[in-house]
Amino acid sequence: LYDEPLESILAPEVSFTDRLRWGWTSLAKRLDALPPAWMAFMFTLIIGGVTLAVPIAAASIGAIPSILLIIFFCIVSMVTIAAMAESVTRSGGIRYGNAFLGRVVGNYLGQASSVLITVVLTAFSFGLLLIFYLGISSTLEGSTGLPAEVWLIVLFGVGLYFLTRGSLNVTVAFSFLITIINTVLLFIIGLLALSRFNTDYLTYTNLPFLNGEPFNPAIYASIIGVIMGLFSAHMMVGVFGKMILERDPSGRALVRGHPTGILAVGLINIFWVVAVNGSVPPAELVAESGTALVPLTAQFGQLVGVLGAVFVVLSMGLGFIHFSIALFNLAR
């Protein structure tokens, strides 16, 4: 028709940027096609910065008593998140509208309870967001040299991007990918730590009334608070409940997937406590004011430090996205 060779209408090559976009789209579609129960599982599998503090808190009373506490709170959290998943499943406001946990609680327990849970969750989300903003910004400042204030502005822009998408599909892909990377990083660091495993470190205990030790409630406040922080994915039932119910209206995916995710969090953190507390002397962990990465880096070199820095940024970044959405939903 135009008297030109057919090859002239074809692009000679695809740009690297386009290849990356196509690759990400393909991966996102695969992750988005997961069964609903697996989606609920992945949203609950939060392996974040709190995990890095568990060995330090555990060293105060010993690894084995701490593992027993992890098992106890894991069981409690499995029961409560299953009950929460069933409540969300029965909520018409979430299934058919734009309700969030405040209105769900209001429908079940009245306006006073709705105000209480909204205030508590807002304070919780806002406090965590501050921690994520400062933690990520300070970490990036140390590795790049750019002021933390610059990174704060960048993070705020990232948060606005996810909030203005109008869809959770992009968040789903990012959440799944970061969760997988974080879990792999934690296992790599844990396996490195196990190469210097010492049974005496793991069996050390500092319980009250044993060997004349007095009861110190501050020690137990620390370990219980940190362990409870591991199982903080309950709000994700409300954030992603509507999406999962659209794929499985029966709600079985919610009731099965979320408790299974809590179980996985418990097992992963038990492995982490065994690996770290079994390879680092308890006295070193108790004296540490940061995270378990500091003594691990001192023992195993900068490889652990680099892997740990990536873990911190990704885990806090994922929490930053999730709780930005949660705070937005609470306000709306």
Side-chain angles (χ1 to χ4, degrees):
L1 181 63
Y2 294 97
D3 196 24
E4 293 288 341
L6 188 61
E7 292 79 4
S8 65
I9 70 171
L10 302 176
E13 61 181 17
V14 179
S15 68
F16 178 72
T17 304
D18 285 338
R19 288 186 183 275
L20 283 180
R21 291 174 61 191
W22 289 350
W24 170 251
T25 300
S26 176
L27 176 62
K29 286 183 177 180
R30 288 178 178 271
L31 295 174
D32 192 51
L34 285 174
W38 274 103
M39 296 183 72
F41 171 85
M42 293 296 290
F43 289 134
T44 316
L45 187 63
I46 297 178
I47 307 297
V50 179
T51 297
L52 300 179
V54 172
I56 296 174
S60 60
I61 65 172
I64 294 177
S66 299
I67 289 173
L68 295 177
L69 282 175
I70 291 175
I71 294 172
F72 171 76
F73 281 106
C74 180
I75 294 172
V76 171
S77 296
M78 288 176 67
V79 173
T80 54
I81 204 169
M84 192 167 182
E86 183 171 351
S87 299
V88 168
T89 299
R90 296 170 182 270
S91 170
I94 284 186
R95 186 187 289 268
Y96 303 114
N98 292 318
F100 195 51
L101 297 179
R103 272 196 264 174
V104 173
V105 173
N107 291 336
Y108 281 104
L109 302 175
Q111 185 62 28
S113 297
S114 175
V115 172
L116 175 63
I117 194 68
T118 300
V119 171
V120 170
L121 292 181
T122 300
F124 178 67
S125 301
F126 189 76
L128 276 181
L129 275 180
L130 286 178
I131 294 172
F132 293 147
Y133 268 108
L134 295 174
I136 298 171
S137 299
S138 59
T139 301
L140 292 175
E141 180 184 36
S143 59
T144 64
L146 286 175
E149 292 81 0
V150 175
W151 289 114
L152 283 171
I153 296 172
V154 172
L155 287 174
F156 186 72
V158 172
L160 288 180
Y161 167 77
F162 280 98
L163 291 178
T164 55
R165 292 291 294 178
S167 169
L168 291 175
N169 291 335
V170 177
T171 309
V172 170
F174 270 107
S175 298
F176 289 2
L177 186 61
I178 292 176
T179 298
I180 293 169
I181 294 174
N182 283 346
T183 305
V184 171
L185 288 174
L186 199 72
F187 270 104
I188 292 174
I189 298 173
L191 291 174
L192 287 173
L194 285 174
S195 64
R196 297 187 183 180
F197 182 79
N198 188 321
T199 307
D200 293 335
Y201 296 162
L202 186 67
T203 55
Y204 164 81
T205 56
N206 183 31
L207 295 175
F209 313 122
L210 294 180
N211 302 322
E213 292 290 336
F215 177 72
N216 185 355
I219 294 177
Y220 290 90
S222 173
I223 182 64
I224 290 174
V226 170
I227 291 177
M228 288 180 69
L230 296 175
F231 306 108
S232 59
H234 291 62
M235 218 174 351
M236 298 304 107
V237 182
V239 172
F240 297 101
K242 180 180 176 68
M243 172 192 293
I244 297 175
L245 286 172
E246 289 174 352
R247 302 168 187 232
D248 177 26
S250 71
R252 291 188 180 93
L254 282 177
V255 178
R256 294 173 181 172
H258 286 299
T260 307
I262 291 290
L263 176 62
V265 170
L267 294 175
I268 291 172
N269 280 279
I270 289 172
F271 162 78
W272 179 243
V273 169
V274 170
V276 178
N277 292 73
S279 60
V280 180
E284 288 187 23
L285 288 172
V286 171
E288 179 57 49
S289 59
T291 69
L293 293 174
V294 177
L296 287 175
T297 302
Q299 284 199 27
F300 299 98
Q302 286 303 315
L303 175 60
V304 171
V306 172
L307 294 177
V310 174
F311 177 88
V312 168
V313 172
L314 289 181
S315 62
M316 286 193 174
L318 181 59
F320 152 73
I321 293 170
H322 281 172
F323 283 95
S324 292
I325 296 172
L327 191 61
F328 175 78
N329 286 340
L330 284 167
R332 185 176 61 179

